[in-house]
Amino acid sequence: QVQLVESGGGLVQAGGSLRLSCAASTWIFTFNTMGWYRQAPGKQRELVATISRGGVTNYADSVKGRFTISRDSTENTVALQMNSLKPEDTAVYYCNAQPDGFAYWGQGTQVTVSS
């Protein structure tokens, strides 16, 4: 059974930084893609960033230049470094992992950015 556990969320002032981590219960190269999604109150869940098995990254336009996704295969973790945070980044952030044809989700971690 695949388990994804997010950590690193919290409250930060605008302009600050947070680093989120997603720990997988299996070797991360099991998955074609891993990534981060977020859901703000009253909003639909949206893609933030992804990284493929081959290391190709993709970012939402709203976070390009501010967020960086990375992975550590020795720890089976995927991280999201978030810099220059804005109040509109406030959301629950979810880790996602996709093997062929399926998707797994973590429970989410709250990120709150205050003015």
Side-chain angles (χ1 to χ4, degrees), residues 88-115:
E88 52 261 46
D89 295 319
T90 295
V92 177
Y93 284 69
Y94 296 91
C95 183
N96 167 267
Q98 298 182 9
D100 192 14
F102 296 93
Y104 297 93
W105 295 91
Q107 293 299 114
T109 186
Q110 176 71 48
V111 171
T112 302
V113 184
S114 63
S115 299

Side-chain angles (χ1 to χ4, degrees), residues 9-62:
L11 194 154
V12 65
Q13 292 183 335
S17 298
L18 284 174
R19 184 177 178 87
L20 306 183
S21 182
C22 173
S25 62
T26 189
W27 188 45
I28 60 173
F29 293 104
T30 300
F31 310 114
N32 292 321
T33 302
M34 296 189 72
W36 292 90
Y37 292 69
R38 67 187 181 187
Q39 187 166 20
K43 301 291 184 66
Q44 296 295 312
R45 188 174 299 185
E46 64 177 354
L47 184 147
V48 178
T50 61
I51 185 166
S52 74
R53 180 184 288 115
V56 178
T57 58
N58 179 258
Y59 298 91
D61 288 342
S62 60

